[in-house]
Amino acid sequence: APTVGGRFDHVLVDEYQDVNRLQADIVLALKPGGAGITVVGDDAQAIYAFRAATVRNILDFPKEFSPAAEIITLDRNYRSTQTILSAANAVISQNPQRRRKRLWSDQGAGERIVGYVADTEHDEADFIAREIARLRAEGSARPGDVAVFYRTNAQSRVMEEAFLTLR
């Protein structure tokens, strides 16, 4: 009887920076020689340590095989301006557990970054709502030009409340 890994020619794992050690062991057991296995991920986006994920899995992946797995770095960004990417590069460079890369874009320099340190989630939401209202009042942004991104849906309620108070 073929092994589970033998049933597949190719195995692709996305977001490999977010796997825990057991998950990494399962992936490696599917294709122990490495032929036919591809993992995709970004060590700079490893944020799930609280779920037992470890960035070491993606950093050590090439050394799991002999010869070492090939690393293809995707450092060109098609969506962000260089100002945003330079800020990201500065933050990423402070991480001692990382693979070296320099993100770049040909989208131009872009707007300068405005930083704001909020004391609470309500303070953060109020700042965002005020900034959007200011841009609209100046005529530099229409409602359809603005988007607010947040990581979890739990953050949406406080944002909604802040926008309702500006009406």
Side-chain angles (χ1 to χ4, degrees):
T3 65
V4 173
R7 295 175 56 196
F8 306 100
D9 293 331
H10 303 283
V11 174
L12 168 67
V13 181
D14 195 12
E15 303 295 346
Y16 196 73
Q17 78 277 358
D18 294 333
V19 301
N20 62 38
R21 188 66 244 168
L22 177 59
Q23 292 165 326
D25 288 344
I26 291 168
V27 169
L28 296 171
L30 288 172
K31 295 290 181 188
I37 189 167
T38 301
V39 301
V40 179
D42 183 353
D43 56 290
Q45 294 186 42
I47 61 169
Y48 289 109
F50 68 95
R51 292 185 182 165
T54 173
V55 71
R56 294 300 335 157
N57 290 330
I58 195 164
L59 293 174
D60 295 341
F61 183 81
K63 296 181 276 188
E64 296 286 347
F65 309 101
S66 182
E70 180 182 2
I71 298 170
I72 301 172
T73 302
L74 304 177
D75 52 3
R76 182 177 182 184
N77 186 293
Y78 294 89
R79 296 179 292 194
S80 296
T81 63
Q82 192 57 52
T83 299
I84 297 291
L85 298 177
S86 293
N89 285 330
V91 171
I92 292 167
S93 72
Q94 301 303 306
N95 185 352
Q97 292 190 66
R98 68 183 172 92
R99 198 162 271 118
R100 293 196 186 283
K101 64 179 163 269
R102 296 297 298 167
L103 304 174
W104 66 277
S105 172
D106 60 5
Q107 300 293 316
E111 305 268 335
R112 85 182 178 88
I113 296 172
V114 175
Y116 180 77
V117 177
D119 293 325
T120 67
E121 64 183 352
H122 295 284
D123 182 32
E124 176 184 50
D126 291 341
F127 172 78
I128 292 167
R130 284 192 314 271
E131 279 296 294
I132 292 170
R134 182 184 63 75
L135 293 170
R136 289 182 64 196
E138 289 176 355
S140 47
R142 296 179 315 241
D145 296 334
V146 179
V148 177
F149 295 93
Y150 45 86
R151 185 164 290 281
T152 66
N153 284 336
Q155 295 173 285
S156 69
R157 184 68 188 149
V158 71
M159 294 287 180
E160 292 169 20
E161 290 170 356
F163 290 128
L164 289 172
T165 62
L166 285 180
R167 283 190 167 188

